[in-house]
């Protein structure tokens, strides 16, 4: 989620953020392909600036079960990143990763949790490092936290804990495809005050 | 009995009467506060996000904070005909949704929310009749204004009643 801060973002700025999202997600997709050792295709991500309630509606519903990885970003443009997989995609990933370990595809086990956390870690890590390379900013992610529960509970708690309760959030929405199977992921970036401007400034866009 | 379900969103509250039910979905670290007058069967449900409004400037939505939301809810119940001296409260929510890194202090605003709600109710002299708080699971709650019962649903369609 990127907060609007005090400025109205120009469409140019939003375009730049969409492009940042595209590059970040491309990098994340190739990491996922390497990790899962399969070919991964990616749909063009969409970027939108939305209030909390609308985000929940877009992803599914308050009670939809999701896996969520939560990380803080430290450095030049501090903030919080979230990666959310819907329930079906979560089990799909686990199945293709852990097939040989006899992991259940209906229940979250400690092994499954650990695997999904690592996937989220890799995805967000490669997303953030792509942005860092692009902008020349120093960005570091912290150890991930994890939750597997209702979307409303997970998302509201993330926003509250990060202190984003007033402002719109930037959602970069992505779909990965493995063969014909879709893996639906939603990536959120919540930028601390000043971070978004620093990000755009590093890309040569004045706000 | 023919009843309606009325849904309360985050930072919102609603007051109604029997036989209706008031519902709020996906409580994580947020707390749902149900206040009830058994005699008139009037009650209200509030969904707070944060413990304390004092560190924020202008409060646009009193329902967002425990310290402003609880009085707002209780006043509304009284306006609709509930009597303050007869009110009791039931609480649900305040979970710690995230885990990892063995750090139990991480992301734990739920505990602070619950403490602030207890305090706010205490200031108004409202007894807490039952609660289902803490833990690590999200909750959806249904407040049945016919019986005063609160039905709690967690992931996988598990139900509890308080």
């Amino acid at each position: 989620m990127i907060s609007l801060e005090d400025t109205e973002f120009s469409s140019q700025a939003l375009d730049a953020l969409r492009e940042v999202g595209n590059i970040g997600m491309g990098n994340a997709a190739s990491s996922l392909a390497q990790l899962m050792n399969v070919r991964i295709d990616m749909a063009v991500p969409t970027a939108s600036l939305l209030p909390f309630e609308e985000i929940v509606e877009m992803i599914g519903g308050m009670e939809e079960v999701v896996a969520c990885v939560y990380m803080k970003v430290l450095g030049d443009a501090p903030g919080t990143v979230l990666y959310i997989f819907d329930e079906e995609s979560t089990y799909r990933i686990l199945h293709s990763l852990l097939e040989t370990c006899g992991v259940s595809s209906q229940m979250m086990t400690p092994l499954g949790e650990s695997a999904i956390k690592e996937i989220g870690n890799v995805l967000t890590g490669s997303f953030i490092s792509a942005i860092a390379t692009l902008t020349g900013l120093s960005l570091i992610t912290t150890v991930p936290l994890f939750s597997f529960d209702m979307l409303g509970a997970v998302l509201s708690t993330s926003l509250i804990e990060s202190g984003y309760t007033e402002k719109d959030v930037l959602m970069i929405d992505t779909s990965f495809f493995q063969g014909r199977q879709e893996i639906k992921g939603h990536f959120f970036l919540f930028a601390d005050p000043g971070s978004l401007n620093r990000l755009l400034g590093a890309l040569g866009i004045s706000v | 009995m023919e009843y309606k379900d009325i849904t309360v969103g985050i930072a919102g509250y609603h007051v109604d009467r029997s036989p209706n039910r008031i519902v709020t979905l996906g409580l994580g670290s947020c707390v749902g506060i149900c206040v009830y007058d058994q005699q008139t069967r009037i009650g209200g449900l509030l969904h707070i996000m944060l413990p304390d409004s004092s560190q924020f400037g202008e409060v646009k939505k009193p329902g967002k904070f425990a310290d402003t939301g609880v009085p707002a809810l209780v006043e509304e119940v009284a306006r609709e005909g509930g009597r303050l001296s007869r009110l009791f409260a039931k609480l649900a929510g305040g979970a710690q949704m995230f885990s990892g890194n063995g750090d139990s202090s991480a992301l734990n605003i739920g505990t602070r929310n619950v403490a602030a709600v207890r305090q706010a109710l205490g200031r108004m002299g409202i007894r807490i009749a039952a609660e289902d708080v803490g833990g690590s699971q999200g909750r959806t709650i249904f407040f049945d204004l016919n019986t005063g019962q609160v039905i709690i649903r967690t992931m996988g369609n598990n139900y509890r009643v308080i």
Side-chain angles (χ1 to χ4, degrees):
Chain A
M1 167 146 100
I2 290 182
S3 70
L4 273 170
E5 297 167 24
D6 299 327
T7 42
E8 280 294 315
F9 276 118
S10 63
S11 61
Q12 191 200 13
L14 208 53
D15 277 347
L17 292 172
R18 197 171 292 131
E19 190 48 29
V20 165
N22 205 353
I23 291 164
M25 290 320 305
N27 209 31
S30 53
S31 299
L32 186 64
Q34 272 175 27
L35 192 72
M36 292 174 71
N37 200 22
V38 291
R39 183 194 159 93
I40 300 273
D41 296 311
M42 184 185 86
V44 176
T46 57
S48 21
L49 221 33
L50 295 169
F52 166 72
E53 296 84 357
E54 284 180 36
I55 287 177
V56 172
E57 266 168 39
M58 271 186 74
I59 301 189
M62 293 292 275
E63 291 191 281
E64 180 162 329
V65 174
V66 296
C68 175
V69 178
Y70 174 108
M71 266 181 262
K72 287 256 170 222
V73 180
L74 310 172
D76 292 337
T80 303
V81 291
L82 291 187
Y83 207 94
I84 292 181
F85 297 108
D86 66 23
E87 188 178 19
E88 219 186 316
S89 303
T90 304
Y91 287 128
R92 204 166 276 158
I93 293 169
L94 288 181
H95 185 72
S96 86
L97 264 184
L98 301 172
E99 225 173 349
T100 50
C101 307
V103 80
S104 162
S105 57
Q106 269 87 47
M107 225 181 70
M108 187 54 71
T109 58
L111 177 64
E113 180 178 322
S114 164
I116 274 294
K117 203 193 284 180
E118 192 48 34
I119 296 262
N121 197 4
V122 168
L123 287 178
T124 40
S126 47
F127 184 97
I128 291 297
S129 70
I131 296 182
T133 309
L134 186 72
T135 56
L137 297 171
S138 155
L139 302 170
I140 305 132
T141 52
T142 61
V143 177
L145 299 178
F146 180 78
S147 185
F148 186 68
D149 211 301
M150 299 178 191
L151 173 64
V154 165
L155 198 54
S156 61
T157 303
S158 317
L159 292 178
I160 293 163
E161 291 283 2
S162 329
Y164 299 96
T165 56
E166 297 285 351
K167 292 171 177 156
D168 289 356
V169 173
L170 177 76
M171 174 168 81
I172 297 165
D173 209 350
T174 54
S175 288
F176 296 132
F177 296 89
Q178 180 204 340
R180 248 172 283 140
Q181 290 197 315
E182 188 181 7
I183 296 169
K184 264 205 156 130
H186 306 273
F187 183 83
F188 299 86
L189 174 62
F190 315 135
D192 286 357
S195 290
L196 205 53
N197 289 350
R198 223 163 294 145
L199 212 67
L200 289 167
L203 295 168
I205 293 162
S206 55
V207 282
Chain B
M1 213 179 328
E2 199 60 33
Y3 65 85
K4 275 190 299 189
D5 275 345
I6 296 110
T7 304
V8 169
I10 193 162
Y13 60 93
H14 178 79
V15 173
D16 220 296
R17 57 189 68 224
S18 174
N20 292 337
R21 300 197 304 181
I22 316 175
V23 184
T24 200
L25 306 171
L27 288 165
S29 61
C30 294
V31 180
I33 300 110
C34 302
V35 168
Y36 191 58
D37 176 353
Q38 187 87 58
Q39 201 161 313
T40 55
R41 296 189 188 174
I42 289 169
L45 190 160
L46 159 73
H47 181 152
I48 62 115
M49 299 165 72
L50 290 164
D52 183 12
S53 66
S54 64
Q55 47 187 302
F56 294 82
E58 186 197 357
V59 177
K60 274 177 257 161
K61 276 188 146 182
K64 201 161 141 178
F65 305 98
D67 64 335
T68 51
V70 169
L73 172 73
V74 170
E75 276 161 32
E76 179 77 14
V77 170
R79 223 179 350 256
E80 291 295 315
R83 187 173 305 163
L84 192 63
S85 60
R86 285 196 300 252
L87 296 184
F88 64 78
K90 292 185 179 179
L91 316 181
Q96 180 171 7
M97 297 304 302
F98 285 87
S99 63
N101 198 22
D103 182 2
S104 59
S105 70
L107 307 194
N108 204 4
I109 200 156
T111 310
R112 283 165 49 211
N113 277 337
V114 171
V117 167
R118 286 190 187 129
Q119 255 180 28
L121 287 166
R123 277 196 295 271
M124 305 198 79
I126 296 168
R127 170 176 74 89
I128 297 170
E131 55 181 33
D132 180 55
V133 296
S136 61
Q137 278 202 304
R139 296 165 172 93
T140 283
I141 60 175
F142 302 86
F143 182 22
D144 183 341
L145 296 172
N146 184 34
T147 60
Q149 282 181 327
V150 178
I151 301 140
I152 296 149
R153 177 161 75 200
T154 53
M155 192 173 61
N157 271 330
N158 293 306
Y159 289 90
R160 285 190 289 281
V161 179
I162 59 170

